[in-house]
Amino acid sequence: MCMDCVQKEYPNRGNTCLENGSFLLNYVGCAKCSHRDFMLINNKTTEEEDGEEIVTYDHVCKNCHHIVARHEYTFSVVDDYQEYTMLCMLCGKAEDTISVLPDDPRRMAPLF
């Protein structure tokens, strides 16, 4: 994809996993046409493979249709947890795990 269009390649986004949209704060502008505008999402696909949902799409310049980055988002349920991942040159890399139980057994109970 295009390293000249982004401020930082694959920024660490902690646990912020985007299933759709664009991280415009990391978008410098299109290296091909020099415009900085909203982006289009093209070639979006959703696949399910072995219980894992995989969403992929291209971030594309609204003006000249230059491909800025390829976005991949995954979702799966493992044991009692929902697991999310994101990998994209524009939006960054992130992982998150959330318990499907009302009380997350990994977190300590409040002391009061």
Side-chain angles (χ1 to χ4, degrees):
M1 306 296 76
C2 187
M3 295 177 281
D4 295 327
C5 295
V6 297
Q7 187 172 38
K8 182 177 182 183
E9 293 178 48
Y10 301 99
N12 185 348
R13 298 293 304 280
N15 62 355
T16 303
C17 298
L18 304 174
E19 182 178 354
N20 55 43
S22 304
F23 183 45
L24 294 177
L25 290 175
N26 193 37
Y27 183 49
V28 176
C30 180
K32 186 174 176 186
C33 72
S34 301
H35 282 90
R36 187 176 192 276
D37 205 342
F38 290 105
M39 304 182 94
L40 301 176
I41 292 175
N42 282 357
N43 303 320
K44 186 171 184 177
T45 62
T46 303
E47 298 175 12
E48 190 162 326
E49 193 174 291
D50 297 326
E52 181 177 65
E53 180 181 306
I54 304 168
V55 177
T56 58
Y57 57 87
D58 295 329
H59 294 285
V60 178
C61 174
K62 176 182 165 185
N63 298 296
C64 71
H65 301 283
H66 171 70
I67 298 175
V68 174
R70 180 104 176 127
H71 189 101
E72 182 177 296
Y73 165 88
T74 64
F75 167 79
S76 61
V77 177
V78 177
D79 297 327
D80 292 334
Y81 296 93
Q82 295 176 335
E83 295 186 351
Y84 304 86
T85 65
M86 175 183 73
L87 185 63
C88 175
M89 183 185 294
L90 174 70
C91 298
K93 56 186 174 186
E95 295 180 352
D96 197 11
T97 303
I98 300 171
S99 175
V100 296
L101 302 172
D103 295 317
D104 189 341
R106 298 173 299 176
R107 297 187 184 174
M108 294 178 36
L111 298 175
F112 51 94

